[in-house]
Amino acid sequence: MKQKIIMVEDIRHDFRPVSAWLANGASVEITKRRRNFARLSAATAAPDKLVKVEFEAQLRAVWGEKLFTVAEVRTMRAAELGRRSLR
């Protein structure tokens, strides 16, 4: 299986894809400031069946069928980036 690469910052905020990769038997290369920092590998052999993360189901559980307006998306994006709302 192809080796996956992820940054330390991404692991801190979202470990779910990393755990899915490990569950599927992939080794994960961790980078810090664009340099190799560490390598994670699964403790056991990969299962016969791949573990699939259901991102759409998670999104539906959180947001339901809500559709956001362009203004709402801009406001949320600005908040994520720590900036004032863009108009």
Side-chain angles (χ1 to χ4, degrees):
M1 184 167 272
K2 186 178 177 185
Q3 184 168 345
K4 307 291 184 173
I5 299 173
I6 193 163
M7 294 184 296
V8 171
E9 296 82 15
D10 295 335
I11 292 175
R12 289 180 183 154
H13 299 292
D14 193 15
F15 189 73
R16 189 171 287 150
V18 176
S19 64
W21 293 337
L22 292 171
N24 289 326
S27 66
V28 180
E29 185 78 29
I30 302 170
T31 61
K32 184 175 183 181
R33 297 181 184 151
R34 297 182 184 167
R35 294 185 181 152
N36 290 343
F37 180 71
R39 182 175 296 134
L40 287 175
S41 59
T44 59
D48 293 335
K49 185 177 179 183
L50 295 178
V51 177
K52 185 176 178 184
V53 179
E54 296 289 336
F55 292 109
E56 276 191 50
Q58 292 172 5
L59 287 173
R60 269 190 244 108
V62 172
W63 299 107
E65 297 298 322
K66 174 136 175 73
L67 293 176
F68 295 101
T69 64
V70 173
E72 289 174 321
V73 172
R74 284 185 183 146
T75 303
M76 287 187 285
R77 182 67 178 151
E80 288 174 355
L81 297 175
R83 292 188 271 178
R84 288 185 172 178
S85 178
L86 303 173
R87 291 184 187 210

